Amino acid sequence: MIKVKNLTKNYGKLKAVDNTSFNVNKNEIIGFVGKNGAGKTTTIRTILNMLFPTKGEIKVDNLDSITESKKIKEILSYVSSDNDYYYNIKVIDLFKFCIKFSKTKLNKAKELSKYFELDINKKISELSSGNRKKVSIIQALLKENKIIIFDEPTNGLDPLMQKKFFDLILEEKKKGITIFLSSHNLNEVEKYCDRVIFIRSGKIVDIIDIKKDNKINNYIISYKTKSNKIEKYEYSDDLNKLLKKLSLLDIKDLEIRKKTIEEEFIYYYRSDKDE
Amino acid sequence: MNKTEIKNIVNITKFNLKVNFKSILGWSIAIFLITFLYMILFPSMKDLATMKMEAMPKEMLQFFGLDSLNNMNNYIHYFGMMFNMIIITISVYAVSLSSKLICGEEKTKSIEFLNSLNVNRNEIYISKLITAFISLIIVLLSAVIAGLICGLAVGGETFILMDFISIVKLGGISVFIFMSISFLLSGISSKMNVSMISSIIIFGTYLIGYLGVLLEKRWLVYFSPIETLNVNGALNMTSSTYASIFVYLGIIILSILFGNYYYKRRDFNI
């Protein structure tokens, strides 16, 4: 659905994105993870033709991101990490404006506002940052989308609204929509995404299939012996073999659990020597 | 340009006008009141103004474009002097509005929202241009209406409608020259302080024009649209005035076209 090929984006001497390539498949939820300044937002803004690539090309549903950007916007919505709108207008007026560019009816905006408990008669300047985020999410869902790009969508949302948001996203996925989710919240990435792209210093360092990839399905074994010696290591072999091995030890405390995305993230970012 | 593009431009323009409604209204009221207050005082000011003009140095009169207007008992001449100052004020609003419409959206990042709608950069640029044009017409009209009302009320025989229209028509061009320069600069880059640079251009060209009059170097005057298209120009149209209007219109068109060209090819500064 999205094909990024050898994308490089320079700001003067700074390489914000460095020869990056990845694909986003149809109808998947893909996580885009990296530290601040890793190149996530730059990549997204280049996909959306807000920035021009220094090198490389981007295709969205086989449409070129530069020459066919308007056609792309017919099928793609975007929720920015910043919730910046025209502060002096009412939410309802913003939605009325949005639907002029799509085939959606205002009722959909009203239904979504009710779902997210948003007062559409308030001015945007009167909303909290969480409520402004809701405006951002709702306006993105007003189009007949094939793809939605979310940049930090749950920032500012309370846990209840976060759950409501992801319930809605899973519904959208059932309709065949592809979701591109840039987030710092690794728990939500692990819980809802099919795959995760790790980006560091503008380069893709890994792409993990959460359900299939061994890196995520590895076990973290930690135990404490009676002599209070603590051991912790990663294990990827047969569990029976592990249990046999552990039975030979004089163990006081034991924990066996699956490795988390957070641990994978820390693995990639624990050293900044390449940055 | 197809039907959808025109529809999109109309929709964005209406939305921009709504977003900027308060600023347009505020400027219109302010310009109306300033013009009205000055022009309504014409009967009591005309003798005083004539006396003051006689007392003023020639250079000062040249600076205000009044050197050939020795009759301040004439409403049209008095309005012409005032309108010159109002044009400078509206020009400052023109550059500030134009840069706000293009660069301001990038500074506040609301362009991320606008750009994510089913529109292209050409439609965004044209709609911003139309918004600026309509806003400036409204603000200019508020000055014109105030001048017209006062002319009818206190202008007496010296209020000649055709001369009044000539001054307004010619003076108004200056505002759109500076608006288009601001669109050109905003189109090239939103990283610079377009509003400030354009304001420097307004006052810079005005000073060059003044120097041109002072040093009797006519070619310098053409650098200043405000000086060239002032009340003297409007009431004494010569072939060189027509030629300069032609050049200024060319500057407006080229600035808009080049501004659009660069706007479509540059990164948003977000």
Side-chain angles (χ1 to χ4, degrees), chain A residues 199-219:
Chain A
I199 184 167
R200 188 179 71 172
S201 303
K203 288 182 178 171
I204 303 294
V205 285
D206 206 352
I207 299 175
I208 292 173
D209 189 318
I210 289 183
K211 301 205 171 56
K212 293 176 194 161
D213 204 302
N214 285 334
K215 286 170 200 160
I216 293 302
N217 291 323
N218 281 358
Y219 293 96

Side-chain angles (χ1 to χ4, degrees), chain B residues 247-262:
Chain B
V247 171
Y248 292 143
L249 290 178
I251 290 171
I252 292 175
I253 292 165
L254 286 176
S255 298
I256 289 168
L257 290 178
F258 277 112
N260 190 14
Y261 176 85
Y262 287 111

Side-chain angles (χ1 to χ4, degrees), chain A residues 9 11 45 48-52 70-71 73-74 76 78 80 82 84-86 88-89 93-94 97-98 100-101 123 139 143, chain B residues 5 7-8 11-12 15 18-19 22 105 108-110 112-121 123 264-268 270:
Chain A
K9 178 65 193 171
Y11 295 114
R45 284 174 178 166
L48 294 159
N49 195 33
M50 285 191 267
L51 304 173
F52 287 87
K70 197 180 169 189
K71 282 185 183 168
K73 289 179 209 165
E74 286 175 20
L76 184 147
Y78 169 57
S80 161
D82 305 297
D84 293 303
Y85 290 106
Y86 312 90
N88 58 341
I89 61 160
D93 292 328
L94 187 86
F97 176 60
C98 291
K100 284 178 182 167
F101 301 91
K123 276 189 176 180
Q139 65 83 17
K143 260 191 223 171
Chain B
E5 285 175 319
K7 198 182 126 197
N8 287 349
N11 284 332
I12 304 171
F15 187 72
K18 191 171 189 169
V19 168
K22 277 186 184 169
E105 286 244 38
T108 61
K109 294 187 180 177
S110 55
E112 284 199 282
F113 158 71
L114 191 59
N115 182 71
S116 72
L117 298 171
N118 188 13
V119 294
N120 59 31
R121 291 194 189 202
E123 290 162 14
K264 288 191 282 191
R265 284 160 183 79
R266 72 161 166 85
D267 289 343
F268 285 138
I270 39 179

Side-chain angles (χ1 to χ4, degrees), chain B residues 105-172:
Chain B
E105 286 244 38
E106 293 171 48
K107 276 185 192 134
T108 61
K109 294 187 180 177
S110 55
I111 192 69
E112 284 199 282
F113 158 71
L114 191 59
N115 182 71
S116 72
L117 298 171
N118 188 13
V119 294
N120 59 31
R121 291 194 189 202
N122 194 42
E123 290 162 14
I124 295 175
Y125 187 87
I126 294 172
S127 64
K128 302 279 181 194
L129 190 66
I130 298 171
T131 306
F133 185 80
I134 293 172
S135 310
L136 294 173
I137 287 285
I138 293 170
V139 176
L140 271 170
L141 272 177
S142 66
V144 172
I145 291 167
L148 198 62
I149 293 169
C150 295
L152 292 169
V154 297
E157 284 177 359
T158 60
F159 176 68
I160 300 160
L161 187 63
M162 291 315 288
D163 286 350
F164 178 82
I165 292 170
S166 296
I167 293 169
V168 167
K169 266 197 310 191
L170 218 60

Side-chain angles (χ1 to χ4, degrees), chain A residues 7 10 61 69 75 79 84 129 138 143 146 183 193 197 206 215 221 233 240-241 251 264 268:
Chain A
L7 176 69
N10 298 342
D61 204 20
S69 73
I75 55 157
V79 174
D84 293 303
S129 73
I138 293 168
K143 260 191 223 171
K146 282 188 184 176
S183 178
C193 291
I197 300 171
D206 206 352
K215 286 170 200 160
I221 317 295
Y233 59 91
N240 289 316
K241 278 186 193 172
I251 291 175
E264 193 65 14
Y268 285 117

Side-chain angles (χ1 to χ4, degrees), chain A residues 13-244:
Chain A
K13 285 178 184 173
L14 176 80
K15 273 195 175 178
V17 180
D18 187 6
N19 201 27
T20 288
S21 300
F22 63 86
N23 289 339
V24 178
N25 302 323
K26 196 177 173 187
N27 196 214
E28 73 172 338
I29 303 181
I30 193 153
F32 198 44
V33 170
K35 277 201 313 192
N36 292 330
K40 300 189 298 293
T41 303
T42 300
T43 305
I44 290 171
R45 284 174 178 166
T46 316
I47 293 171
L48 294 159
N49 195 33
M50 285 191 267
L51 304 173
F52 287 87
T54 309
K55 273 186 210 162
E57 62 167 16
I58 299 168
K59 299 267 184 192
V60 179
D61 204 20
N62 287 323
L63 299 165
D64 185 78
S65 70
I66 299 171
T67 56
E68 295 169 295
S69 73
K70 197 180 169 189
K71 282 185 183 168
I72 290 174
K73 289 179 209 165
E74 286 175 20
I75 55 157
L76 184 147
S77 275
Y78 169 57
V79 174
S80 161
S81 56
D82 305 297
N83 314 307
D84 293 303
Y85 290 106
Y86 312 90
Y87 287 161
N88 58 341
I89 61 160
K90 284 183 179 176
V91 176
I92 182 91
D93 292 328
L94 187 86
F95 291 156
K96 278 181 188 169
F97 176 60
C98 291
I99 59 168
K100 284 178 182 167
F101 301 91
S102 67
K103 291 168 188 164
T104 318
K105 296 257 160 58
L106 190 63
N107 266 351
K108 190 174 178 183
K110 287 180 179 170
E111 281 166 19
L112 286 166
S113 302
K114 202 174 169 187
Y115 178 79
F116 280 113
E117 298 164 26
L118 177 72
D119 184 353
I120 53 174
N121 293 312
K122 275 191 173 175
K123 276 189 176 180
I124 292 181
S125 58
E126 293 165 1
L127 300 178
S128 65
S129 73
N131 281 329
R132 262 183 246 154
K133 182 62 90 177
K134 291 177 192 173
V135 173
S136 196
I137 292 166
I138 293 168
Q139 65 83 17
L141 293 168
L142 290 179
K143 260 191 223 171
E144 296 298 321
N145 295 302
K146 282 188 184 176
I147 309 163
I148 310 178
I149 297 179
F150 291 101
D151 195 358
E152 303 293 341
T154 53
N155 263 9
L157 293 184
D158 61 57
L160 181 69
M161 284 302 147
Q162 286 184 21
K163 186 176 181 311
K164 279 191 161 194
F165 166 74
F166 279 110
D167 288 347
L168 200 66
I169 290 311
L170 293 174
E171 283 300 311
E172 292 293 314
K173 196 198 170 195
K174 279 182 198 163
K175 292 178 199 165
I177 291 172
T178 306
I179 311 283
F180 188 93
L181 176 73
S182 169
S183 178
H184 284 135
N185 188 333
L186 299 171
N187 291 331
E188 68 186 25
V189 167
E190 188 166 12
K191 196 170 172 186
Y192 298 104
C193 291
D194 301 306
R195 289 193 302 146
V196 184
I197 300 171
F198 286 92
I199 184 167
R200 188 179 71 172
S201 303
K203 288 182 178 171
I204 303 294
V205 285
D206 206 352
I207 299 175
I208 292 173
D209 189 318
I210 289 183
K211 301 205 171 56
K212 293 176 194 161
D213 204 302
N214 285 334
K215 286 170 200 160
I216 293 302
N217 291 323
N218 281 358
Y219 293 96
I220 301 292
I221 317 295
S222 57
Y223 62 84
K224 195 175 177 183
T225 61
K226 282 185 179 162
S227 57
N228 282 335
K229 191 183 165 195
I230 298 167
E231 289 283 343
K232 188 176 179 181
Y233 59 91
E234 199 172 325
Y235 183 81
S236 57
D237 209 349
D238 182 27
L239 268 184
N240 289 316
K241 278 186 193 172
L242 172 74
L243 290 172
K244 273 182 194 169

Side-chain angles (χ1 to χ4, degrees), chain A residues 256-267:
Chain A
I256 303 174
R257 60 173 174 81
K258 289 247 176 138
K259 192 179 174 187
T260 62
I261 281 279
E262 195 172 345
E263 279 162 325
E264 193 65 14
F265 180 84
I266 289 163
Y267 167 76

Side-chain angles (χ1 to χ4, degrees), chain B residues 83-98:
Chain B
F83 196 62
N84 224 23
M85 297 300 114
I86 283 164
I87 285 297
I88 294 173
T89 313
I90 300 177
S91 296
V92 172
Y93 174 59
V95 299
S96 129
L97 176 70
S98 308

